[in-house]
């Protein structure tokens, strides 16, 4: 194995150039979350009983879910990218050069993260700037860190999916299905009262985000009343760091599995 | 006749190489020993042995599915052999493939380009992966792209024609000045003019001391470029030598191409030909054609034939070519 070095950056640069030439394909990764934000904001009118959860607007409660969706899309884009590299010969071509697979993965993580950042800025900018979601400036670094850690885990998930699929179309379909199912099962779009949510990383990311974004509106009180951290009973508040640990565990597992499985499946 | 080449190949192949036990000669930059690859029981490459000299151009000639690309993919470290090993320069393919990668350049059979990038970006990506100095890399890239007639285009490579992509792949394979260059059908899909350009380019390259291993199913190409040729079929090396060696060991060098207007005509003629003493080998081709190799003088043979066979469309005498050698070894044409 070669070491990980500056070549990862050149791989990332190449990936970025490729993505920039193909911006159209990124449209839906941003358009969909913005559309959902508008739905949450406009469809449930503020101040009415069915538009509120414990004094918070549905928009406020769901905004973190949309952030989770945006980050989670990187599992789809990276699954497509890795599946593509398997069939178009580029992976094999790179294998014939003095470059480690570590550099290939790191290069992908760098380029995916850069685009994930762009998408996050757009979604945050729209949510906070245009639609007026609540925002705790002090929590920004932590929120950002969580987004990145979760996002990298999603790249691992994309890698696992790409390992098993022979075509970018197949990878796209399965990754999208996985992503959407996880979004629903974790209650990220609409709160679910089901213990299954605990097994999805999305759930924890959203919970951490809820604490970050709505904390100014006496969030803790709201949690104790039970309706936000579904499917909780009245007192299931978890400290923010335990949520972060869970997200970290998810990311390390998926990156580890992704790299292992992809290596095994593509070493001829 | 054909047995002699086969025997010759076997003698060359069966020599124990022992390249790692007792050191090795510097004459050969690549020694392949019992290299094999099976895909689900199909022996794509079946225990081949090869020795390739430093600085020579070595051709692997064979029909579709012979195992040429599989051999190249193993030697370029991307495909794991199921058996055997190779020494490439000072390193074992199995044990030290990471030491081999910096030495080699690869032009795969199927074009591999990053379609959204420009030609320069594609070439420079390979240069970067080989840790080239950027100034040197840009200079060399420009120069090579010019030589291949694809310089100065700022458009993404996906808008290139197939032949242009082919030439770009060639440049990508050697931007980093590899000591050993693997070209898998370098001229596939090129028009005659571009093909000539690439041939001249490869000849020039050879003069700079690079060892080149190329595959082809085009005997003209093997003829035009090679120092040594290995003929491959069904995963095995069935003959090996210089072009002259292959030709001289295969026959006395006389071939008759016999065309008929119908299959009946052909069958009649074939049965008569089989009774003629000088005939060494008869191969039936598509479009009612027979290829006959024979011994003795052309004129006497012609007279004898014309006495026996009356109805035919055309007949044509010529010298033995690589294609005929292949035909004799396998009983099939190169393009079957
Ligand atoms: N990945 C693979 N899986 C299964 N079989 C394979 C694979 N790659 C090659 N083969 C088989 O191995 C044999 C040799 O293939 P190879 O590509 O090496 O031939 P080739 O000499 O390069 O032919 P061509 O002139 O068509 O390029 C063929 O029968 C092919 O079907
Ligand atoms: Mg081939």
């Amino acid at each position: 194995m070669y070491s990980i070095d500056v070549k990862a950056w050149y791989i990332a640069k190449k990936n970025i150039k490729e993505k920039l030439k193909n911006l159209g394909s990124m449209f839906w990764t941003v358009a969909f979350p913005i559309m959902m934000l508008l739905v949450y904001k406009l469809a449930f009118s503020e101040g009415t009983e069915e538009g509120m959860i414990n004094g918070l607007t549905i928009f406020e409660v769901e905004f973190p879910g949309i952030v989770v969706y945006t980050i989670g899309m990187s599992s789809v884009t990276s699954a497509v990218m890795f599946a593509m590299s398997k069939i178009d010969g580029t992976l094999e071509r790179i294998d014939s050069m003095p470059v480690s697979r570590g550099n290939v993965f790191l290069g992908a993580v760098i380029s995916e993260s850069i685009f994930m950042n762009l998408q996050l800025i757009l979604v945050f900018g729209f949510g906070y700037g245009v639609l007026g979601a609540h925002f705790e400036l002090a929590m920004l670094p932590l929120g950002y860190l969580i987004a990145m850690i979760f996002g990298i885990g999603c790249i691992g998930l994309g890698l696992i999916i790409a390992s098993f699929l022979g075509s970018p179309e197949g990878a796209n379909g399965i990754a999208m299905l996985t992503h959407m199912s996880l979004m629903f099962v974790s209650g990220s779009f609409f709160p679910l009262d089901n213990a299954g949510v605990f097994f999805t990383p999305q759930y924890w990311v959203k919970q951490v985000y809820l604490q970050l974004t709505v904390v100014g509106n006496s969030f803790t009180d709201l949690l104790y009343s039970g309706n936000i951290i579904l499917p909780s009973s009245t007192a299931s508040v978890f400290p923010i760091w335990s949520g972060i640990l869970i997200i970290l565990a998810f990311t390390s597992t998926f990156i580890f599995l992704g790299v292992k499985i992809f290596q095994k499946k593509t070493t001829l | 006749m054909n047995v002699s080449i086969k025997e010759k190949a076997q003698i060359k192949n069966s020599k124990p190489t022992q390249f790692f036990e007792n050191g090795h000669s510097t004459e050969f930059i690549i020694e392949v020993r019992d290299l094999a690859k099976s895909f689900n029981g199909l022996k794509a490459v079946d225990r081949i042995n090869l020795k390739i000299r430093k600085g020579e151009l070595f051709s692997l000639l064979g029909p579709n599915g012979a195992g040429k690309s599989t051999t190249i993919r193993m030697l370029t470290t991307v495909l794991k052999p199921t058996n055997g090993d190779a020494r490439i320069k000072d390193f074992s393919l199995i044990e030290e493939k990471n030491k081999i990668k910096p030495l080699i350049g690869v032009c795969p059979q199927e074009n591999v380009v990053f379609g959204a990038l420009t030609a320069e970006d594609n070439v420079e990506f390979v240069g970067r992966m080989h840790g080239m100095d950027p100034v040197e890399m840009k200079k060399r890239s420009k120069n090579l792209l010019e030589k291949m007639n694809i310089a100065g285009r700022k458009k993404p490579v996906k808008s290139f024609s197939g032949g242009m992509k082919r030439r770009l792949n060639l440049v990508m394979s050697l931007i980093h000045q590899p000591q050993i260059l693997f070209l898998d059908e370098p001229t596939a899909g090129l028009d005659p003019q571009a093909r000539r350009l690439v041939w001249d380019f490869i000849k020039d390259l050879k003069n700079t001391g690079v060892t080149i291993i190329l595959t082809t199913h085009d005997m003209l190409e093997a003829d035009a470029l090679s120092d040594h040729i290995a003929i491959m079929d069904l995963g095995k090396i069935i003959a090996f030598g210089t072009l002259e060696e292959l030709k001289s060991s295969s026959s006395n060098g006389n071939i008759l191409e016999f065309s008929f207007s119908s299959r009946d005509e052909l069958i009649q003629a074939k049965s008569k030909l089989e009774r003629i003493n000088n005939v060494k080998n008869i191969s039936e081709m598509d479009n009612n054609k027979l290829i006959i190799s024979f011994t003795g003088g052309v004129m006497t043979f012609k007279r004898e034939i014309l006495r026996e066979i009356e109805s035919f469309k055309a007949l044509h005498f010529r010298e033995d070519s690589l294609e005929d050698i292949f035909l004799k070894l396998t009983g099939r044409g190169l393009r079957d």
Side-chain angles (χ1 to χ4, degrees):
Chain A
M1 203 66 175
Y2 296 98
S3 57
I4 287 176
D5 56 24
V6 67
K7 285 171 187 172
W9 167 244
Y10 293 113
I11 293 174
K13 216 165 118 179
K14 186 261 305 168
N15 294 345
I16 292 167
K17 281 186 188 169
E18 284 188 303
K19 282 198 147 205
L20 283 176
K21 291 272 157 60
N22 211 351
L23 272 181
S25 69
M26 282 175 57
F27 175 74
W28 284 107
T29 60
V30 175
F32 184 78
I34 286 185
M35 199 177 75
M36 286 299 280
L37 284 183
L38 283 172
V39 168
Y40 287 133
K41 179 81 181 174
L42 304 175
F44 305 98
S45 52
E46 284 171 40
T48 64
E49 187 63 22
E50 81 270 23
M52 306 292 280
I53 298 175
N54 285 321
L56 290 173
T57 64
I58 289 187
F59 171 71
E60 279 171 317
V61 175
E62 289 309 324
F63 180 67
I66 294 303
V67 174
V68 175
Y69 171 88
T70 309
I71 307 167
M73 273 304 285
S74 63
S75 67
V76 180
T77 52
S78 55
V80 172
M81 184 173 78
F82 288 118
M84 185 70 104
S85 77
K86 281 202 314 188
I87 63 155
D88 68 5
T90 53
L91 189 68
E92 180 167 322
R93 187 72 182 84
I94 290 176
D95 276 346
S96 73
M97 301 190 244
V99 194
S100 70
R101 280 286 178 88
N103 273 330
V104 176
F105 297 134
L106 186 60
V109 168
I110 294 172
S111 56
E112 283 297 313
S113 307
I114 288 175
F115 282 91
M116 200 155 67
N117 273 299
L118 285 179
Q119 290 163 349
L120 276 176
I121 289 170
L122 282 173
V123 170
F124 267 88
F126 193 75
Y128 291 125
V130 180
L131 300 180
H134 181 78
F135 186 50
E136 289 288 321
L137 194 60
M139 289 299 178
L140 184 64
L142 190 55
Y144 182 74
L145 185 72
I146 289 160
M148 284 299 120
I149 296 173
F150 175 58
I152 290 169
C154 289
I155 297 173
L157 177 60
L159 203 51
I160 296 174
I161 291 169
S163 306
F164 291 102
L165 286 152
S167 75
E169 293 79 15
N172 184 52
I174 298 296
M176 202 66 201
L177 193 72
T178 313
H179 175 47
M180 283 307 205
S181 313
L182 283 171
M183 285 303 294
F184 282 106
V185 170
S186 66
S188 297
F189 283 142
F190 305 97
L192 278 183
D193 202 355
N194 181 321
V197 299
F198 294 131
F199 296 100
T200 64
Q202 279 79 354
Y203 172 80
W204 298 105
V205 179
K206 186 180 171 189
Q207 294 315 320
V208 174
Y209 261 101
L210 271 173
Q211 294 201 34
L212 293 181
T213 56
V214 200
V215 73
N217 297 353
S218 49
F219 184 60
T220 315
D221 294 346
L222 293 171
L223 289 173
Y224 278 107
S225 72
N227 272 341
I228 290 181
I229 302 192
L230 290 167
S232 63
S233 55
T234 48
S236 76
V237 180
F238 60 97
I240 216 164
W241 56 264
S242 66
I244 293 173
L245 279 186
I246 289 165
I247 298 163
L248 259 176
F250 156 78
T251 292
S252 355
T253 313
F254 275 59
I255 280 287
F256 177 79
L257 284 181
V259 170
K260 281 271 173 246
I261 296 174
F262 193 74
Q263 284 283 53
K264 194 164 166 8
K265 290 266 175 193
T266 57
T267 308
L268 302 172
Chain B
M1 49 188 274
N2 46 4
V3 181
S4 65
I5 320 186
K6 271 186 188 162
E7 274 171 354
K8 198 171 155 188
Q10 270 158 14
I11 292 163
K12 291 221 179 207
N13 288 347
S14 62
K15 262 185 204 159
T17 45
Q18 296 183 329
F19 37 77
F20 300 112
E21 291 84 359
N22 307 336
H24 54 264
S25 94
T26 47
E27 190 187 355
F28 298 105
I29 195 165
I30 299 180
E31 288 181 48
V32 176
R33 189 180 53 190
D34 289 337
L35 198 66
K37 179 73 192 181
S38 301
F39 294 108
N40 309 319
L42 170 94
K43 289 178 179 170
V45 172
D46 195 1
R47 290 177 169 265
I48 60 167
N49 290 277
L50 288 172
K51 288 184 175 192
I52 299 171
R53 285 186 170 73
K54 194 170 182 301
E56 79 165 327
L57 196 146
F58 184 97
S59 291
L60 267 180
L61 177 72
N64 292 148
K68 305 181 296 293
S69 298
T70 306
T71 305
I72 298 286
R73 288 170 71 214
M74 284 193 283
L75 293 179
T76 54
T77 74
V78 294
L79 191 64
K80 204 171 161 198
T82 32
N83 186 65
D85 196 356
R87 173 181 65 77
I88 297 184
K89 206 149 181 240
D90 300 319
F91 309 111
S92 152
L93 182 62
I94 304 295
E95 307 285 333
E96 300 163 293
K97 68 176 180 191
N98 283 346
K99 292 187 174 147
I100 293 173
K101 291 176 204 242
L103 308 174
I104 62 172
V106 189
C107 179
Q109 178 170 4
E110 302 287 336
N111 289 326
V112 177
V113 292
F114 301 104
L117 309 191
T118 63
E120 270 133 47
D121 283 343
N122 269 281
V123 176
E124 285 172 17
F125 177 73
V126 180
R128 287 294 193 186
M129 292 302 106
H130 282 274
M132 282 185 87
D133 165 59
V135 180
E136 158 83 14
M137 176 177 80
K138 283 191 199 306
K139 213 170 77 186
R140 207 173 135 75
S141 154
K142 190 161 168 278
N143 184 273
L144 288 170
L145 290 171
E146 269 165 15
K147 274 194 186 156
M148 282 290 116
N149 266 341
I150 42 173
R153 297 186 142 249
K154 290 285 164 230
K155 285 197 180 147
V157 164
K158 61 171 172 249
S159 70
F160 279 26
S161 77
M164 289 158 77
K165 282 187 197 145
R166 194 73 200 130
R167 281 174 279 154
L168 173 61
N169 260 257
L170 207 60
V171 174
M172 288 165 76
S173 72
L174 51 86
I175 176 70
H176 56 292
Q177 296 190 277
Q179 302 180 27
I180 305 168
L181 186 57
F182 293 90
L183 306 176
D184 197 351
E185 305 201 10
T187 59
L190 294 185
D191 64 29
Q193 213 181 340
R195 198 157 90 127
R196 178 61 61 186
L197 181 84
V198 168
W199 282 6
D200 289 342
F201 182 79
I202 291 177
K203 282 180 195 160
D204 286 348
L205 203 63
K206 210 174 83 178
N207 292 333
T208 65
V210 184
T211 307
I212 303 170
I213 294 93
L214 76 76
T215 76
T216 181
H217 45 70
D218 178 354
M219 46 174 186
L220 267 180
E221 183 159 292
D223 207 337
L225 300 172
S226 320
D227 297 310
H228 283 94
I229 298 170
I231 300 182
M232 200 167 180
D233 188 38
L234 302 173
K236 289 195 158 77
I237 306 284
I238 55 173
F240 171 85
T242 63
L243 186 63
E244 286 68 35
E245 282 170 352
L246 288 174
K247 279 186 178 170
S248 66
S249 60
S250 77
S251 78
N252 296 337
N254 284 328
I255 297 285
L256 167 64
E257 280 184 25
F258 222 152
S259 308
F260 302 90
S261 17
S262 70
R263 188 152 163 77
D264 290 343
E265 239 178 56
L266 178 143
I267 289 168
Q268 267 189 4
K270 198 175 172 189
S271 67
K272 286 177 184 164
L273 282 164
E274 274 161 357
R275 290 198 294 270
I276 297 177
N277 267 343
N278 291 3
V279 171
K280 283 168 61 180
N281 192 312
I282 304 176
S283 311
E284 204 176 318
M285 308 298 285
D286 298 340
N287 53 36
N288 297 327
K289 198 166 165 187
L290 289 178
I291 306 253
I292 299 129
S293 68
F294 61 94
T295 52
V298 173
M299 288 322 289
T300 5
F301 189 68
K302 192 172 175 180
R303 241 177 288 138
E304 193 169 354
I305 293 252
L306 292 178
R307 204 165 46 226
E308 292 280 334
I309 300 165
E310 285 130 26
S311 52
F312 58 90
K313 201 162 86 186
L315 95 179
H316 169 65
F317 287 90
R318 60 173 168 79
E319 277 227 326
D320 218 1
S321 70
L322 269 177
E323 183 134 24
D324 303 313
I325 298 170
F326 185 81
L327 198 61
K328 262 176 251 163
L329 289 172
T330 64
R332 290 176 294 121
L334 261 179
R335 273 157 229 281
D336 279 8

